[in-house]
mmCIF file of all heavy atoms in Angstrom:
data_model
loop_
_atom_site.group_PDB
_atom_site.id
_atom_site.type_symbol
_atom_site.label_atom_id
_atom_site.label_comp_id
_atom_site.label_asym_id
_atom_site.label_seq_id
_atom_site.Cartn_x
_atom_site.Cartn_y
_atom_site.Cartn_z
ATOM 1 N N ALA A 1122 0.860 -1.185 0.000
ATOM 2 C CA ALA A 1122 0.000 0.000 0.000
ATOM 3 C C ALA A 1122 0.890 1.226 0.000
ATOM 4 O O ALA A 1122 2.106 1.128 0.209
ATOM 5 C CB ALA A 1122 -0.916 0.012 1.221
ATOM 6 N N VAL A 1123 0.289 2.389 -0.229
ATOM 7 C CA VAL A 1123 1.048 3.637 -0.201
ATOM 8 C C VAL A 1123 0.320 4.667 0.661
ATOM 9 O O VAL A 1123 -0.911 4.729 0.667
ATOM 10 C CB VAL A 1123 1.286 4.220 -1.615
ATOM 11 C CG1 VAL A 1123 2.296 3.398 -2.368
ATOM 12 C CG2 VAL A 1123 -0.011 4.307 -2.394
ATOM 13 N N VAL A 1124 1.110 5.462 1.384
ATOM 14 C CA VAL A 1124 0.597 6.566 2.194
ATOM 15 C C VAL A 1124 1.356 7.814 1.763
ATOM 16 O O VAL A 1124 2.589 7.825 1.763
ATOM 17 C CB VAL A 1124 0.801 6.323 3.698
ATOM 18 C CG1 VAL A 1124 0.358 7.541 4.499
ATOM 19 C CG2 VAL A 1124 0.040 5.085 4.141
ATOM 20 N N SER A 1125 0.628 8.854 1.391
ATOM 21 C CA SER A 1125 1.256 10.102 0.957
ATOM 22 C C SER A 1125 0.875 11.226 1.907
ATOM 23 O O SER A 1125 -0.296 11.388 2.252
ATOM 24 C CB SER A 1125 0.806 10.445 -0.469
ATOM 25 O OG SER A 1125 1.409 11.637 -0.911
ATOM 26 N N LEU A 1126 1.864 11.981 2.356
ATOM 27 C CA LEU A 1126 1.598 13.086 3.274
ATOM 28 C C LEU A 1126 0.906 14.243 2.570
ATOM 29 O O LEU A 1126 0.209 15.032 3.197
ATOM 30 C CB LEU A 1126 2.901 13.582 3.910
ATOM 31 C CG LEU A 1126 3.787 12.534 4.593
ATOM 32 C CD1 LEU A 1126 4.913 13.221 5.346
ATOM 33 C CD2 LEU A 1126 2.985 11.640 5.516
ATOM 34 N N GLU A 1127 1.117 14.346 1.273
ATOM 35 C CA GLU A 1127 0.491 15.408 0.486
ATOM 36 C C GLU A 1127 -0.294 14.764 -0.657
ATOM 37 O O GLU A 1127 -0.257 13.554 -0.843
ATOM 38 C CB GLU A 1127 1.553 16.376 -0.055
ATOM 39 C CG GLU A 1127 2.368 17.055 1.025
ATOM 40 C CD GLU A 1127 3.488 17.913 0.466
ATOM 41 O OE1 GLU A 1127 3.514 18.138 -0.763
ATOM 42 O OE2 GLU A 1127 4.346 18.339 1.253
ATOM 43 N N GLY A 1128 -0.981 15.598 -1.425
ATOM 44 C CA GLY A 1128 -1.680 15.079 -2.584
ATOM 45 C C GLY A 1128 -3.172 14.924 -2.347
ATOM 46 O O GLY A 1128 -3.672 15.073 -1.236
ATOM 47 N N ALA A 1129 -3.880 14.608 -3.429
ATOM 48 C CA ALA A 1129 -5.333 14.541 -3.400
ATOM 49 C C ALA A 1129 -5.828 13.179 -3.866
ATOM 50 O O ALA A 1129 -5.119 12.436 -4.531
ATOM 51 C CB ALA A 1129 -5.915 15.647 -4.290
ATOM 52 N N ALA A 1130 -7.068 12.893 -3.510
ATOM 53 C CA ALA A 1130 -7.630 11.572 -3.783
ATOM 54 C C ALA A 1130 -7.897 11.332 -5.261
ATOM 55 O O ALA A 1130 -8.096 10.195 -5.674
ATOM 56 C CB ALA A 1130 -8.928 11.398 -2.991
ATOM 57 N N ASN A 1131 -7.902 12.390 -6.073
ATOM 58 C CA ASN A 1131 -8.131 12.205 -7.502
ATOM 59 C C ASN A 1131 -6.942 12.661 -8.337
ATOM 60 O O ASN A 1131 -7.094 12.980 -9.519
ATOM 61 C CB ASN A 1131 -9.401 12.938 -7.953
ATOM 62 C CG ASN A 1131 -10.646 12.117 -7.681
ATOM 63 O OD1 ASN A 1131 -10.659 10.910 -7.893
ATOM 64 N ND2 ASN A 1131 -11.678 12.752 -7.178
ATOM 65 N N SER A 1132 -5.763 12.698 -7.749
ATOM 66 C CA SER A 1132 -4.563 12.972 -8.526
ATOM 67 C C SER A 1132 -4.305 11.781 -9.435
ATOM 68 O O SER A 1132 -4.824 10.681 -9.220
ATOM 69 C CB SER A 1132 -3.359 13.174 -7.601
ATOM 70 O OG SER A 1132 -3.053 11.961 -6.933
ATOM 71 N N HIS A 1133 -3.500 11.985 -10.451
ATOM 72 C CA HIS A 1133 -3.220 10.881 -11.362
ATOM 73 C C HIS A 1133 -2.478 9.748 -10.669
ATOM 74 O O HIS A 1133 -2.644 8.575 -11.029
ATOM 75 C CB HIS A 1133 -2.423 11.402 -12.562
ATOM 76 C CG HIS A 1133 -3.286 12.044 -13.594
ATOM 77 N ND1 HIS A 1133 -2.795 12.866 -14.576
ATOM 78 C CD2 HIS A 1133 -4.624 11.976 -13.806
ATOM 79 C CE1 HIS A 1133 -3.788 13.281 -15.342
ATOM 80 N NE2 HIS A 1133 -4.904 12.748 -14.888
ATOM 81 N N ALA A 1134 -1.686 10.073 -9.664
ATOM 82 C CA ALA A 1134 -1.008 9.017 -8.911
ATOM 83 C C ALA A 1134 -2.031 8.160 -8.176
ATOM 84 O O ALA A 1134 -1.914 6.928 -8.132
ATOM 85 C CB ALA A 1134 -0.016 9.630 -7.929
ATOM 86 N N ALA A 1135 -3.048 8.806 -7.597
ATOM 87 C CA ALA A 1135 -4.101 8.065 -6.901
ATOM 88 C C ALA A 1135 -4.907 7.224 -7.885
ATOM 89 O O ALA A 1135 -5.278 6.079 -7.593
ATOM 90 C CB ALA A 1135 -5.015 9.036 -6.153
ATOM 91 N N ILE A 1136 -5.175 7.780 -9.056
ATOM 92 C CA ILE A 1136 -5.907 7.038 -10.084
ATOM 93 C C ILE A 1136 -5.117 5.815 -10.519
ATOM 94 O O ILE A 1136 -5.662 4.723 -10.711
ATOM 95 C CB ILE A 1136 -6.218 7.958 -11.288
ATOM 96 C CG1 ILE A 1136 -7.219 9.040 -10.879
ATOM 97 C CG2 ILE A 1136 -6.752 7.157 -12.471
ATOM 98 C CD1 ILE A 1136 -7.379 10.158 -11.875
ATOM 99 N N LEU A 1137 -3.816 5.980 -10.678
ATOM 100 C CA LEU A 1137 -2.962 4.860 -11.066
ATOM 101 C C LEU A 1137 -2.943 3.800 -9.961
ATOM 102 O O LEU A 1137 -2.967 2.596 -10.249
ATOM 103 C CB LEU A 1137 -1.543 5.356 -11.351
ATOM 104 C CG LEU A 1137 -0.543 4.302 -11.834
ATOM 105 C CD1 LEU A 1137 -1.031 3.641 -13.113
ATOM 106 C CD2 LEU A 1137 0.831 4.929 -12.060
ATOM 107 N N ALA A 1138 -2.903 4.232 -8.705
ATOM 108 C CA ALA A 1138 -2.937 3.279 -7.587
ATOM 109 C C ALA A 1138 -4.221 2.460 -7.628
ATOM 110 O O ALA A 1138 -4.203 1.241 -7.404
ATOM 111 C CB ALA A 1138 -2.814 4.030 -6.256
ATOM 112 N N ARG A 1139 -5.347 3.122 -7.924
ATOM 113 C CA ARG A 1139 -6.615 2.398 -8.016
ATOM 114 C C ARG A 1139 -6.574 1.386 -9.154
ATOM 115 O O ARG A 1139 -7.054 0.261 -9.025
ATOM 116 C CB ARG A 1139 -7.773 3.379 -8.213
ATOM 117 C CG ARG A 1139 -8.093 4.200 -6.981
ATOM 118 C CD ARG A 1139 -9.452 4.866 -7.075
ATOM 119 N NE ARG A 1139 -9.481 5.984 -7.980
ATOM 120 C CZ ARG A 1139 -9.216 7.237 -7.632
ATOM 121 N NH1 ARG A 1139 -8.857 7.512 -6.387
ATOM 122 N NH2 ARG A 1139 -9.287 8.218 -8.511
ATOM 123 N N ALA A 1140 -6.014 1.813 -10.288
ATOM 124 C CA ALA A 1140 -5.949 0.920 -11.442
ATOM 125 C C ALA A 1140 -5.068 -0.294 -11.169
ATOM 126 O O ALA A 1140 -5.328 -1.387 -11.680
ATOM 127 C CB ALA A 1140 -5.425 1.687 -12.658
ATOM 128 N N LEU A 1141 -4.035 -0.114 -10.370
ATOM 129 C CA LEU A 1141 -3.121 -1.209 -10.043
ATOM 130 C C LEU A 1141 -3.611 -2.038 -8.862
ATOM 131 O O LEU A 1141 -3.002 -3.057 -8.514
ATOM 132 C CB LEU A 1141 -1.729 -0.653 -9.727
ATOM 133 C CG LEU A 1141 -0.963 -0.032 -10.897
ATOM 134 C CD1 LEU A 1141 0.272 0.702 -10.395
ATOM 135 C CD2 LEU A 1141 -0.581 -1.096 -11.911
ATOM 136 N N GLY A 1142 -4.699 -1.580 -8.229
ATOM 137 C CA GLY A 1142 -5.225 -2.307 -7.088
ATOM 138 C C GLY A 1142 -4.391 -2.147 -5.837
ATOM 139 O O GLY A 1142 -4.359 -3.033 -4.987
ATOM 140 N N ILE A 1143 -3.715 -1.006 -5.697
ATOM 141 C CA ILE A 1143 -2.866 -0.750 -4.528
ATOM 142 C C ILE A 1143 -3.610 0.175 -3.562
ATOM 143 O O ILE A 1143 -3.934 1.312 -3.923
ATOM 144 C CB ILE A 1143 -1.537 -0.090 -4.944
ATOM 145 C CG1 ILE A 1143 -0.772 -0.994 -5.908
ATOM 146 C CG2 ILE A 1143 -0.687 0.233 -3.724
ATOM 147 C CD1 ILE A 1143 0.436 -0.325 -6.533
ATOM 148 N N PRO A 1144 -3.908 -0.254 -2.348
ATOM 149 C CA PRO A 1144 -4.558 0.639 -1.382
ATOM 150 C C PRO A 1144 -3.728 1.908 -1.183
ATOM 151 O O PRO A 1144 -2.495 1.836 -1.089
ATOM 152 C CB PRO A 1144 -4.609 -0.197 -0.093
ATOM 153 C CG PRO A 1144 -4.542 -1.619 -0.565
ATOM 154 C CD PRO A 1144 -3.666 -1.595 -1.780
ATOM 155 N N ALA A 1145 -4.395 3.055 -1.144
ATOM 156 C CA ALA A 1145 -3.659 4.318 -1.027
ATOM 157 C C ALA A 1145 -4.413 5.310 -0.159
ATOM 158 O O ALA A 1145 -5.645 5.389 -0.219
ATOM 159 C CB ALA A 1145 -3.404 4.912 -2.408
ATOM 160 N N ILE A 1146 -3.655 6.052 0.642
ATOM 161 C CA ILE A 1146 -4.200 7.129 1.469
ATOM 162 C C ILE A 1146 -3.387 8.382 1.190
ATOM 163 O O ILE A 1146 -2.161 8.357 1.227
ATOM 164 C CB ILE A 1146 -4.142 6.768 2.963
ATOM 165 C CG1 ILE A 1146 -5.088 5.593 3.259
ATOM 166 C CG2 ILE A 1146 -4.503 7.965 3.837
ATOM 167 C CD1 ILE A 1146 -5.027 5.101 4.685
ATOM 168 N N MET A 1147 -4.064 9.489 0.904
ATOM 169 C CA MET A 1147 -3.405 10.743 0.580
ATOM 170 C C MET A 1147 -3.643 11.753 1.706
ATOM 171 O O MET A 1147 -4.620 11.670 2.445
ATOM 172 C CB MET A 1147 -3.940 11.304 -0.741
ATOM 173 C CG MET A 1147 -3.994 10.293 -1.879
ATOM 174 S SD MET A 1147 -2.382 9.767 -2.457
ATOM 175 C CE MET A 1147 -1.937 11.187 -3.467
ATOM 176 N N GLY A 1148 -2.750 12.743 1.781
ATOM 177 C CA GLY A 1148 -2.917 13.824 2.749
ATOM 178 C C GLY A 1148 -2.926 13.354 4.190
ATOM 179 O O GLY A 1148 -3.634 13.908 5.035
ATOM 180 N N ALA A 1149 -2.128 12.338 4.500
ATOM 181 C CA ALA A 1149 -2.092 11.799 5.866
ATOM 182 C C ALA A 1149 -1.398 12.763 6.811
ATOM 183 O O ALA A 1149 -0.314 13.257 6.520
ATOM 184 C CB ALA A 1149 -1.378 10.451 5.875
ATOM 185 N N GLN A 1150 -2.023 13.036 7.945
ATOM 186 C CA GLN A 1150 -1.468 13.951 8.931
ATOM 187 C C GLN A 1150 -0.687 13.146 9.980
ATOM 188 O O GLN A 1150 -1.247 12.665 10.967
ATOM 189 C CB GLN A 1150 -2.579 14.744 9.603
ATOM 190 C CG GLN A 1150 -3.401 15.589 8.649
ATOM 191 C CD GLN A 1150 -2.582 16.698 8.032
ATOM 192 O OE1 GLN A 1150 -1.880 17.429 8.730
ATOM 193 N NE2 GLN A 1150 -2.657 16.849 6.727
ATOM 194 N N LEU A 1151 0.597 12.977 9.760
ATOM 195 C CA LEU A 1151 1.411 12.204 10.692
ATOM 196 C C LEU A 1151 2.876 12.581 10.562
ATOM 197 O O LEU A 1151 3.275 13.260 9.614
ATOM 198 C CB LEU A 1151 1.217 10.706 10.449
ATOM 199 C CG LEU A 1151 1.336 10.175 9.008
ATOM 200 C CD1 LEU A 1151 2.773 10.022 8.582
ATOM 201 C CD2 LEU A 1151 0.614 8.847 8.881
ATOM 202 N N LYS A 1152 3.669 12.144 11.516
ATOM 203 C CA LYS A 1152 5.118 12.333 11.467
ATOM 204 C C LYS A 1152 5.732 11.040 10.956
ATOM 205 O O LYS A 1152 5.754 10.029 11.673
ATOM 206 C CB LYS A 1152 5.672 12.695 12.846
ATOM 207 C CG LYS A 1152 5.378 14.127 13.244
ATOM 208 C CD LYS A 1152 6.254 14.556 14.402
ATOM 209 C CE LYS A 1152 6.118 16.059 14.660
ATOM 210 N NZ LYS A 1152 6.990 16.519 15.740
ATOM 211 N N PRO A 1153 6.218 11.017 9.728
ATOM 212 C CA PRO A 1153 6.652 9.760 9.114
ATOM 213 C C PRO A 1153 7.831 9.093 9.794
ATOM 214 O O PRO A 1153 7.997 7.881 9.715
ATOM 215 C CB PRO A 1153 7.015 10.191 7.687
ATOM 216 C CG PRO A 1153 7.330 11.650 7.788
ATOM 217 C CD PRO A 1153 6.409 12.175 8.838
#
């Protein structure tokens, strides 16, 4: 899976993650 601290749920990266079947969370508020 992928977690991104920035970005939006309909960015092309998120769309590609959906197409590849990879769980993804964007805009996560955390200290990596």
Side-chain angles (χ1 to χ4, degrees):
V1123 288
V1124 175
S1125 181
L1126 307 189
E1127 300 175 10
N1131 277 319
S1132 66
H1133 279 163
I1136 293 168
L1137 183 58
R1139 289 196 286 270
L1141 292 170
I1143 300 171
I1146 293 176
M1147 312 292 282
Q1150 300 294 311
L1151 49 79
K1152 285 196 171 182

